[in-house]
Amino acid sequence: MKLFVYHTPELTPEMTGDCRPDCAIAIDVLRATTTMAAALQNGAEAVQAFSDLSVLMATSEDWPAERRIRIGERGGKMMEGCDLGNSPLDCTADRVKGRRLFMSTTNGTRSLEKIAAAPTVMTAALTNRNGVVDALLELQPQTVWMTGSGWEGSFSLEDTVAAGAIAAALLPHLKDDWAGNDEAIAALALFELWRDRLPELMRLASHGQRLLRLGNTADLDYCAQLDVVPTVPIQRETGVLVARTI
Ligand code: MLT
């Protein structure tokens, strides 16, 4: 298994015939992929991701209102006409069980769209890191791309540290030539430095500071937790994620 880390969707190569990983993982710790894992853990039927909010609104119109939830976020704030912003803490079982989440966020849903053509697509956060690692050890893909969501094309500390967390847990099972690119080694080093101070890292991160300015400390602390959610979102059809069953 060879791991490649790309800090943003923009830095992730276009998938063509011979340039395609066996497995691609979208990471958006603050907060989209943390929210996806929480929602599917709490019984959501599926998460359907859209980079375009207007397409989300039109598509979800065909879904029975009592079985859909619209999650729309831009700039960390909930969008008008949606039911929820993008807080994982809002995705309680009472609210999401049996419902489909139609979701569009500033960056996370875009990174998912970028990697959608891979044979296996999953999403990861710090909260479900071990579940993702277990899935990779079971599936044994030869090549894995981990795509951070960043912020509008820029690097995000939290996404790359989550990629490093996955690499760190996989390391005992990998050969010496495990790193597919320099970013993979850098991500591991970043995680090794911050593994015991993840809440502090969230507050240092630029998007963490953006959420703090919006008064949202609870999400930061939830998103900083390691290995607390077993559920792994996996793509069943393009843009539609369900809880991976073992
Ligand atoms: C993103 O898509 O960049 C994030 O999920 C934004 C957020 O919800 O805080």
Side-chain angles (χ1 to χ4, degrees):
M1 194 183 307
K2 201 173 269 290
L3 308 181
F4 296 77
V5 172
Y6 300 104
H7 296 315
T8 65
E10 292 79 3
L11 291 172
T12 304
E14 295 297 333
M15 289 189 194
T16 60
D18 52 6
C19 174
R20 188 189 305 269
D22 298 313
C23 174
I25 299 171
I27 300 174
D28 185 5
V29 169
L30 293 174
R31 301 168 289 177
T33 58
T34 302
T35 297
M36 291 172 185
L40 292 169
Q41 172 69 26
N42 286 334
E45 176 262 340
V47 175
Q48 188 164 358
F50 299 80
S51 53
D52 183 329
L53 194 58
S54 59
V55 176
L56 179 157
M57 300 306 275
T59 307
S60 58
E61 203 53 46
D62 298 337
W63 208 266
E66 69 279 5
R67 285 187 37 238
R68 77 174 178 227
I69 294 177
R70 291 166 169 153
I71 292 186
E73 168 278 332
R74 291 294 184 273
K77 294 177 188 164
M78 183 170 88
M79 297 300 285
E80 195 178 329
C82 292
D83 307 302
L84 295 177
N86 187 18
S87 170
L89 297 173
D90 286 344
C91 295
T92 58
D94 290 350
R95 209 175 251 142
V96 305
K97 193 168 177 55
R99 292 184 167 90
R100 177 164 293 200
L101 274 59
F102 294 83
M103 187 176 192
S104 180
T105 69
T106 311
N107 305 281
T109 45
R110 277 190 320 106
S111 57
L112 195 60
E113 190 172 78
K114 183 66 183 276
I115 64 168
T120 301
V121 174
M122 299 189 280
T123 67
L126 289 168
T127 52
N128 72 337
R129 184 274 306 255
N130 259 353
V132 171
V133 166
D134 290 345
L136 290 172
L137 291 174
E138 187 186 321
L139 297 170
Q140 286 297 320
Q142 287 298 308
T143 50
V144 180
W145 289 4
M146 293 192 272
T147 286
S149 299
W151 185 269
E152 296 178 346
S154 300
F155 173 81
S156 279
L157 263 177
E158 68 276 8
D159 294 345
T160 297
V161 88
I166 292 168
L170 283 170
L171 212 53
H173 307 275
L174 301 179
K175 296 190 176 75
D176 291 347
D177 62 344
W178 65 270
N181 59 4
D182 292 2
E183 294 90 326
I185 296 171
L188 175 65
L190 186 66
F191 174 69
E192 295 298 355
L193 180 64
W194 286 96
R195 61 187 307 148
D196 299 325
R197 297 180 289 158
L198 293 171
E200 185 184 339
L201 178 81
M202 292 300 134
R203 282 161 170 73
L204 278 177
S206 54
H207 187 43
Q209 291 182 14
R210 186 176 294 110
L211 291 172
L212 284 175
R213 287 194 295 273
L214 293 168
N216 193 336
T217 52
D219 277 1
L220 285 192
D221 291 333
Y222 177 84
C223 294
Q225 299 175 102
L226 203 50
D227 305 331
V228 292
V229 174
T231 294
V232 177
I234 191 163
Q235 183 173 260
R236 181 180 64 195
E237 58 192 270
T238 302
V240 179
L241 297 157
V242 295
R244 181 176 183 266
T245 51
I246 300 170

